[in-house]
Amino acid sequence: MKMKKIAALGVAGILACSSLTACGNKVTLPKEPAKIAAVADKETTKADSFEGKGTMTVAGKVMGQDIAVDADMTLTYFKEPMKIKADINCKAKDDEEVKVSVYFMQEDNNYVVYTGMNDEWEKVTLDEKEESQKKLIEMLDKQKKEDNNKDMESVYKGKVEKSKEKEKDGTTVLEYKMTGDSIEKIIEESGALKQASAMGISKDMFTDLKDLKATLVVDNDTVRWKSVEMDCTEFTQCIVDKVMETVKTMYGSYLDKSTDLSAKFDKVSIKVTLDNYNKAKDFKLPDKAKNAKESKEANSSGLLEGAK
């Protein structure tokens, strides 16, 4: 069950990153890094579909236990009506490989997430009556509009620069830093803080965050993103440190003195490569998924909330 939720959250993250894709028309490559990124984002909204592959690596030690997780994913995205298919394979140290399929579908006026593992399916329908889910729905609706990125240059200005890495194969490499402050703003505007508060999680969990660093590779001819690679090590360490401090504060008196609440991450990285713009292979929701029951537990836990 937890793996299904994690996989669905991963697809929500892809929705947030889907502004790093574009169509295949010939576009003039700007000279300034911020303009390059802004044009790539603008071209994003013109893509009717695309395909991609992703990998994630997590390595470290939590509560005295070595953590080693490798995951890979294939995805297909269509803009109108919006639908995403993602097949995820996850292998943790000393555990069997876990395979999860996620379908994010726009059905009439609703967005529905189907997750399947071992031929068992469940679904979650986003509810605009819930404030944080309403924010996500508004983001999804806005994302499909071509004027969504009209002022992206100001967003990138001062935060992106050309990489010192040698450019090859007709590409431009950019280094982008999303500051902790900007991440906090996104979380606040998404409505996630209200949901977290309702679950008893302090808003301090989402303050003083570390920066996220990304390497963005742009195709010079189409000015669209070819790949996105993020180093999430410091950001993840920051969040987990806050979680551990909360555990100590709330439950420390109940824990054995020998309980190890330490956490040290050596590597947390994500890479996504994108291709087949406007040529993605179409797909349909599996018959077994059509009979999935609504997951009340997922709704109450705020599945997919806070993504933007």
Side-chain angles (χ1 to χ4, degrees):
M1 184 69 70
K2 289 184 178 180
M3 182 57 68
K4 289 183 181 180
K5 294 180 182 180
I6 292 172
L9 285 167
V11 173
I14 294 167
L15 284 171
C17 295
S18 62
S19 60
L20 300 180
T21 62
C23 72
N25 295 329
K26 179 70 176 180
V27 181
T28 301
L29 180 72
K31 294 182 179 181
E32 296 82 0
K35 288 185 177 181
I36 294 174
V39 170
D41 276 349
K42 182 178 181 181
E43 291 301 302
T44 298
T45 57
K46 298 178 183 177
D48 293 323
S49 66
F50 66 82
E51 295 176 346
K53 295 180 179 180
T55 59
M56 180 181 73
T57 299
V58 179
K61 180 175 274 190
V62 178
M63 299 181 68
Q65 299 294 318
D66 289 332
I67 302 295
V69 178
D70 290 293
D72 62 79
M73 174 181 62
T74 59
L75 66 96
T76 305
Y77 167 89
F78 281 85
K79 177 180 177 181
E80 192 63 47
M82 179 179 286
K83 59 179 183 178
I84 294 175
K85 173 188 175 184
D87 291 317
I88 304 162
N89 299 321
C90 185
K91 179 69 170 67
K93 182 180 179 181
D94 299 327
D95 288 335
E96 294 184 0
E97 184 177 61
V98 176
K99 297 183 178 181
V100 182
S101 292
V102 181
Y103 288 76
F104 191 105
M105 311 290 289
Q106 182 179 357
E107 300 177 353
D108 297 324
N109 294 323
N110 295 319
Y111 293 102
V112 185
V113 183
Y114 298 84
T115 57
M117 184 170 64
N118 298 327
D119 285 331
E120 295 183 1
W121 290 84
E122 66 181 30
K123 69 177 182 180
V124 178
T125 302
L126 299 188
D127 186 357
E128 63 180 7
K129 293 181 181 179
E130 294 192 22
E131 185 63 25
S132 53
Q133 291 191 11
K134 180 180 178 181
K135 295 286 186 179
L136 175 56
I137 293 171
E138 291 175 350
M139 180 275 294
L140 293 170
D141 290 337
K142 181 180 179 182
Q143 185 175 326
K144 295 186 294 183
K145 298 180 181 180
E146 293 193 5
D147 63 348
N148 185 34
N149 300 292
K150 58 185 179 181
D151 193 33
M152 287 304 295
E153 184 178 347
S154 63
V155 174
Y156 283 112
K157 195 169 184 179
K159 299 177 183 178
V160 64
E161 59 184 22
K162 286 189 177 181
S163 173
K164 296 179 180 179
E165 178 182 336
K166 185 176 181 181
E167 298 168 4
K168 57 183 179 180
D169 300 328
T171 64
T172 296
V173 182
L174 302 176
E175 299 294 344
Y176 173 56
K177 182 174 70 174
M178 179 179 285
T179 64
D181 290 342
S182 62
I183 297 173
E184 290 176 30
K185 183 178 180 181
I186 290 173
I187 293 173
E188 182 176 1
E189 292 178 349
S190 71
L193 285 182
K194 291 184 178 180
Q195 181 66 20
S197 178
M199 296 171 62
I201 300 175
S202 171
K203 65 178 182 180
D204 293 339
M205 188 75 70
F206 306 101
T207 59
D208 298 323
L209 299 176
K210 295 292 185 179
D211 300 339
L212 273 175
K213 300 176 182 178
T215 299
L216 316 175
V217 180
V218 185
D219 181 272
N220 291 343
D221 289 333
T222 60
V223 195
R224 68 187 182 203
W225 305 111
K226 293 191 69 174
S227 68
V228 180
E229 186 168 6
M230 299 183 67
D231 180 355
C232 308
T233 308
E234 290 185 0
F235 181 82
T236 303
Q237 185 71 59
C238 175
I239 293 294
V240 174
D241 284 346
K242 291 175 180 291
V243 171
M244 291 303 183
E245 283 301 318
T246 299
V247 172
K248 290 178 183 179
T249 300
M250 297 180 65
Y251 306 106
S253 60
Y254 301 99
L255 297 175
D256 189 281
K257 293 183 178 180
S258 62
T259 301
D260 186 354
L261 293 178
S262 64
K264 177 66 171 66
F265 288 91
D266 300 315
K267 182 178 182 180
V268 181
S269 63
I270 299 172
K271 183 174 182 178
V272 179
T273 58
L274 306 167
D275 56 17
N276 288 340
Y277 291 89
N278 300 322
K279 298 179 182 179
K281 184 178 180 180
D282 200 2
F283 63 87
K284 295 182 179 179
L285 186 68
D287 290 337
K288 290 184 179 180
K290 295 178 182 178
N291 298 320
K293 294 182 179 180
E294 189 78 25
S295 174
K296 296 181 180 179
E297 179 183 358
N299 268 328
S300 63
S301 66
L303 179 63
L304 295 176
E305 294 172 4
K308 182 174 180 179

